[in-house]
Amino acid sequence: MIWLFDYDLTLYGADERNVLDSLDERISKSVQNATGVDYETAHQIRKDYLQRFGTTLAGLQAMHGVKPDDFFDFIHQPEFLQYPKASPAKRNLIMGLEGHRFVFTNGRRDWSEAGMEHMGVRDCFEDVFDLKQMDWVGKPHESAYDKVEAYLAKRVPEEFFMNGMPANPSHIVLLEDSVRNLEPAHRRGWTTILVNPIPDVPSWVNFYVPSLLHLTTILPELVTHNS
Ligand SMILES: [Mg+2]
């Protein structure tokens, strides 16, 4: 099995939303810097960018020529940020998942790596596949999934892939808090797990857990599903 974990609000959950909120504040600040508006207006601009471009970064790139690495260098300054708490329980759980484990995140790798360091789970994963490796076009764009498959084909033992395609796509398991990001994964035949306290479970979700620590409750069924 190849396990792909989203980072924000999946690896650390909705109960630690403050982590994402701290980043969010910096993102609004970066919009302020690029546009010269006040904080309130920056918030409105972000909403508009989300609508029109999918992400704040995409809006900043298109409208203000902001370079992605400059954007992330600014928002990732640690003195402004909060990180998830240490979680030995999550560590045990993840370590118990047999196969190859990676983080697949729409952030830049330094953000998830710092968080995983705080959680004590960094060594649970072989690597992080981040937004930069997706050429700054993240999930749910098809290209993000194409790129992670191409990357995995080089990283995992060759029996998992045949002519560059997953030999058995259901052996790629994606854990995500975003239902939107699970849909393209499902179309590829990957196994999809929604990790979200809100049980809004569309047809493309194979398994649902309210939080990561509930994963143990579905593991027996998941193993049957994949055999
Ligand atoms: Mg997420």
Side-chain angles (χ1 to χ4, degrees), residues 13-213:
D15 55 328
E16 292 186 283
R17 221 201 148 87
N18 60 302
V19 175
L20 193 61
D21 288 345
S22 72
L23 187 69
D24 215 50
E25 244 177 75
R26 290 300 284 172
I27 296 175
S28 289
K29 263 258 181 276
S30 77
V31 172
Q32 268 189 282
N33 292 348
T35 58
V37 299
D38 61 33
Y39 194 82
E40 274 306 298
T41 316
H43 192 74
Q44 289 308 315
I45 291 175
R46 281 191 62 188
K47 273 197 185 160
D48 174 53
Y49 285 176
L50 276 180
Q51 278 286 333
R52 286 160 62 201
F53 302 101
T55 62
T56 306
L57 171 61
L60 286 172
Q61 282 179 274
M63 303 298 291
H64 301 279
V66 169
K67 295 206 170 51
D69 271 320
D70 293 341
F71 170 80
F72 284 109
D73 288 345
F74 178 80
I75 68 169
H76 288 173
Q77 289 171 31
E79 61 269 38
F80 301 102
L81 299 174
Q82 293 177 28
Y83 296 97
K85 290 189 203 63
S87 179
K90 278 184 189 165
R91 184 192 163 75
N92 280 340
L93 172 74
I94 299 164
M95 279 299 197
L97 300 173
E98 275 180 44
H100 299 272
R101 302 178 294 257
F102 296 87
V103 168
F104 178 30
T105 173
N106 274 358
R108 198 178 63 180
R109 68 165 56 235
D110 48 309
W111 169 242
S112 50
E113 284 177 344
M116 288 193 282
E117 204 71 65
H118 281 81
M119 295 173 76
V121 301
R122 171 118 179 236
D123 63 332
C124 296
F125 297 94
E126 291 180 31
D127 202 359
V128 174
F129 191 79
D130 76 344
L131 191 67
K132 192 167 182 168
Q133 288 157 284
M134 302 172 214
D135 297 315
W136 309 113
V137 180
K139 301 170 278 184
H141 288 275
E142 287 298 332
S143 60
Y145 303 79
D146 286 337
K147 281 174 183 154
V148 78
E149 280 188 358
Y151 161 85
L152 289 170
K154 285 186 243 140
R155 287 298 305 256
V156 298
E158 50 180 38
E159 69 254 28
F160 282 99
F161 283 83
M162 237 165 28
N163 304 321
M165 300 296 286
N168 186 342
S170 74
H171 288 177
I172 304 177
V173 182
L174 178 61
L175 298 99
E176 261 281 352
D177 65 291
S178 156
V179 289
R180 213 164 74 116
N181 293 351
L182 288 171
E183 213 244 324
H186 177 74
R187 263 188 276 118
R188 284 162 192 263
W190 297 7
T191 299
T192 56
I193 304 180
L194 177 65
V195 184
N196 196 309
I198 301 164
D200 177 9
V201 185
S203 59
W204 58 83
V205 169
N206 297 120
F207 296 95
Y208 167 73
V209 286
S211 81
L212 202 57
L213 287 174

